[in-house]
Amino acid sequence: MNTAIEIKKNIYWLGVNDRRTHIFENYWPLPKGVAYNSYVIVDEKTVVLDTVERSRMDDYLESLEAVLAGRPVDYLVVNHMEPDHSGAIKSLLARYPDLTVIGNAKTFPMLENYYGVNHRLLEVKEGDTLNIGSRTLAFYMVPMLHWPETMVTYVPEDKLLFSADAFGSFGTLDGGIFDDQVDLDYLEEEISRYYSNIVGKYGMPAQAALKKLGGLPLEMICATHGPIWRTHIADIIARYDKWSKYETDEGVVIAFSSMYGHTEQMADLIGRFLAEQGIRKIRIHDTSKTHPSYIINDIFRYKGVILGSCAYNGGIFPTMDTLLCELENMGVKNHLLAYFGNKTWGGGAMPRFKAFAEKMKWEVVAEPDEATGAIKPSDIEQCKAIAEAMVKKLRE
Ligand code: FEO
């Protein structure tokens, strides 16, 4: 079945929805699925821009054949080599052996390593252009957004940017494919979770790309995931700008790990004291239940972070350690931190929290509190002190 949709005259969206995969990159949950967006330009030359994930190849190639109406593919632009977009390259080459692959110097070693493809290559550099008939393709390098080879392709005649993963989103395209055809409220968390989890480590490269591409007139941004942006372009660019500068709103994320409930009680107490101080954006997460992707997403939103863990085998609880490792790996910047815990005898979590704070260079706003067993009046006072110190710093 041909599922292609014309988005501009002779330019087609050729994406597929994936509602079966549970976890993206074998790590990130996909409760609302994900779409892989490929695009085709039919001009004097025919051009495919990125492909789709391998499991949906048959549907994809059927739609592509229908769009091309018997013509071959002349060019395949590989803006990004990650297999959710390069997965159909070998099949595409088998069907259209004369096509030329367009990429940059960092694309082609990956192409050979992944798929053994090493011929009919056209290397492009920053600012290079290629005439394809009535249109021009202009290529801009956006390294580490989010891979080293990543580039974007701009069509000045249509003011259209093929942006690879940038401005992408988790979530399938349920009917509509444009930002004004889909329920953006429904996708809200998936848009920010995609940024924070997939792109979030690369704030500086994102800032560099925004500056480089900032002067281009844009009528559409065609990402490789999520909706095509045409009505809310300024809004999504503004959000990328804010996220990649690590700018946050007033709010506090409390994440805790608790075996017998005492650490959770402390988390709830701190949350209550924050609310009494007027903080409205409070998110409390149990690291044993909530995947780090959601907690990290909230941490990208809110400046305050309060972490609590019970002792476990003389150290920190494993699911809290996973969250800390994720945050360290991403190098998330610009947060205020407090931490607490609970032990039965020798303690455990506090040294790990201290090392985390030092590594992240987050300001610790309060003395840590490691309570022993059931919560005592002195622990309640300590929880109150943590909340008050956080609010004071948030409002400085
Ligand atoms: Fe959607 Fe980085 O691949």
Side-chain angles (χ1 to χ4, degrees), residues 4 9 64 106 109 132 157 214 315 360 382:
K9 188 169 173 50
L64 178 60
K106 291 179 180 164
I132 57 167
E157 293 82 0
M360 300 298 285
Q382 194 62 28

PDB file of all heavy atoms in Angstrom, residues 4 9 64 106 109 132 157 214 315 360 382:
ATOM      1  N   ALA A   4       2.654   7.138   1.143  1.00  0.00           N
ATOM      2  CA  ALA A   4       3.358   8.418   0.998  1.00  0.00           C
ATOM      3  C   ALA A   4       2.361   9.572   0.986  1.00  0.00           C
ATOM      4  O   ALA A   4       1.224   9.437   0.517  1.00  0.00           O
ATOM      5  CB  ALA A   4       4.175   8.410  -0.286  1.00  0.00           C
ATOM      6  N   LYS A   9       4.856  20.436  -3.476  1.00  0.00           N
ATOM      7  CA  LYS A   9       4.735  19.870  -4.822  1.00  0.00           C
ATOM      8  C   LYS A   9       5.945  18.973  -5.144  1.00  0.00           C
ATOM      9  O   LYS A   9       7.094  19.422  -5.122  1.00  0.00           O
ATOM     10  CB  LYS A   9       4.632  21.004  -5.852  1.00  0.00           C
ATOM     11  CG  LYS A   9       4.309  20.491  -7.245  1.00  0.00           C
ATOM     12  CD  LYS A   9       3.947  21.624  -8.182  1.00  0.00           C
ATOM     13  CE  LYS A   9       3.800  21.138  -9.616  1.00  0.00           C
ATOM     14  NZ  LYS A   9       2.946  19.975  -9.783  1.00  0.00           N
ATOM     15  N   LEU A  64       7.721   3.826  -1.813  1.00  0.00           N
ATOM     16  CA  LEU A  64       8.711   4.530  -2.621  1.00  0.00           C
ATOM     17  C   LEU A  64       8.511   4.231  -4.107  1.00  0.00           C
ATOM     18  O   LEU A  64       8.516   5.140  -4.947  1.00  0.00           O
ATOM     19  CB  LEU A  64      10.117   4.116  -2.174  1.00  0.00           C
ATOM     20  CG  LEU A  64      11.280   4.722  -2.962  1.00  0.00           C
ATOM     21  CD1 LEU A  64      11.268   6.246  -2.887  1.00  0.00           C
ATOM     22  CD2 LEU A  64      12.615   4.172  -2.458  1.00  0.00           C
ATOM     23  N   LYS A 106      32.634  11.868   7.280  1.00  0.00           N
ATOM     24  CA  LYS A 106      32.423  11.000   8.438  1.00  0.00           C
ATOM     25  C   LYS A 106      31.320   9.976   8.193  1.00  0.00           C
ATOM     26  O   LYS A 106      31.184   9.010   8.951  1.00  0.00           O
ATOM     27  CB  LYS A 106      32.093  11.861   9.663  1.00  0.00           C
ATOM     28  CG  LYS A 106      33.283  12.682  10.125  1.00  0.00           C
ATOM     29  CD  LYS A 106      32.938  13.528  11.310  1.00  0.00           C
ATOM     30  CE  LYS A 106      34.154  14.340  11.728  1.00  0.00           C
ATOM     31  NZ  LYS A 106      33.811  15.440  12.622  1.00  0.00           N
ATOM     32  N   PRO A 109      32.854   6.137   6.188  1.00  0.00           N
ATOM     33  CA  PRO A 109      33.415   4.998   6.948  1.00  0.00           C
ATOM     34  C   PRO A 109      32.322   4.227   7.698  1.00  0.00           C
ATOM     35  O   PRO A 109      32.369   2.997   7.793  1.00  0.00           O
ATOM     36  CB  PRO A 109      34.388   5.674   7.922  1.00  0.00           C
ATOM     37  CG  PRO A 109      34.733   6.978   7.267  1.00  0.00           C
ATOM     38  CD  PRO A 109      33.515   7.404   6.530  1.00  0.00           C
ATOM     39  N   ILE A 132      19.325  19.704  -8.620  1.00  0.00           N
ATOM     40  CA  ILE A 132      18.615  18.466  -8.996  1.00  0.00           C
ATOM     41  C   ILE A 132      17.496  18.758 -10.000  1.00  0.00           C
ATOM     42  O   ILE A 132      16.588  17.958 -10.167  1.00  0.00           O
ATOM     43  CB  ILE A 132      18.043  17.751  -7.747  1.00  0.00           C
ATOM     44  CG1 ILE A 132      17.100  18.682  -6.955  1.00  0.00           C
ATOM     45  CG2 ILE A 132      19.168  17.218  -6.876  1.00  0.00           C
ATOM     46  CD1 ILE A 132      16.269  17.950  -5.903  1.00  0.00           C
ATOM     47  N   GLU A 157      14.577  26.702  -2.508  1.00  0.00           N
ATOM     48  CA  GLU A 157      13.406  27.027  -3.326  1.00  0.00           C
ATOM     49  C   GLU A 157      12.096  26.767  -2.571  1.00  0.00           C
ATOM     50  O   GLU A 157      11.081  27.426  -2.820  1.00  0.00           O
ATOM     51  CB  GLU A 157      13.417  26.200  -4.625  1.00  0.00           C
ATOM     52  CG  GLU A 157      14.551  26.564  -5.577  1.00  0.00           C
ATOM     53  CD  GLU A 157      15.880  25.902  -5.216  1.00  0.00           C
ATOM     54  OE1 GLU A 157      15.936  25.145  -4.225  1.00  0.00           O
ATOM     55  OE2 GLU A 157      16.882  26.171  -5.919  1.00  0.00           O
ATOM     56  N   GLY A 214      20.284  29.512  11.854  1.00  0.00           N
ATOM     57  CA  GLY A 214      19.332  30.545  12.286  1.00  0.00           C
ATOM     58  C   GLY A 214      18.901  31.512  11.203  1.00  0.00           C
ATOM     59  O   GLY A 214      17.800  32.037  11.240  1.00  0.00           O
ATOM     60  N   GLY A 315      26.218   0.495  49.977  1.00  0.00           N
ATOM     61  CA  GLY A 315      26.340   1.554  48.971  1.00  0.00           C
ATOM     62  C   GLY A 315      24.984   2.156  48.667  1.00  0.00           C
ATOM     63  O   GLY A 315      24.076   2.130  49.499  1.00  0.00           O
ATOM     64  N   MET A 360      29.175  16.546  38.794  1.00  0.00           N
ATOM     65  CA  MET A 360      28.223  17.346  38.003  1.00  0.00           C
ATOM     66  C   MET A 360      28.432  18.846  38.189  1.00  0.00           C
ATOM     67  O   MET A 360      27.888  19.646  37.436  1.00  0.00           O
ATOM     68  CB  MET A 360      26.783  17.003  38.431  1.00  0.00           C
ATOM     69  CG  MET A 360      26.395  15.558  38.243  1.00  0.00           C
ATOM     70  SD  MET A 360      26.452  15.027  36.522  1.00  0.00           S
ATOM     71  CE  MET A 360      24.995  15.808  35.880  1.00  0.00           C
ATOM     72  N   GLN A 382      14.897  17.967  59.576  1.00  0.00           N
ATOM     73  CA  GLN A 382      15.944  17.976  58.550  1.00  0.00           C
ATOM     74  C   GLN A 382      15.339  18.026  57.146  1.00  0.00           C
ATOM     75  O   GLN A 382      15.849  18.728  56.269  1.00  0.00           O
ATOM     76  CB  GLN A 382      16.825  16.728  58.709  1.00  0.00           C
ATOM     77  CG  GLN A 382      18.119  16.772  57.933  1.00  0.00           C
ATOM     78  CD  GLN A 382      19.044  17.907  58.367  1.00  0.00           C
ATOM     79  OE1 GLN A 382      19.009  18.355  59.514  1.00  0.00           O
ATOM     80  NE2 GLN A 382      19.829  18.394  57.417  1.00  0.00           N
TER      81      GLN A 382
END
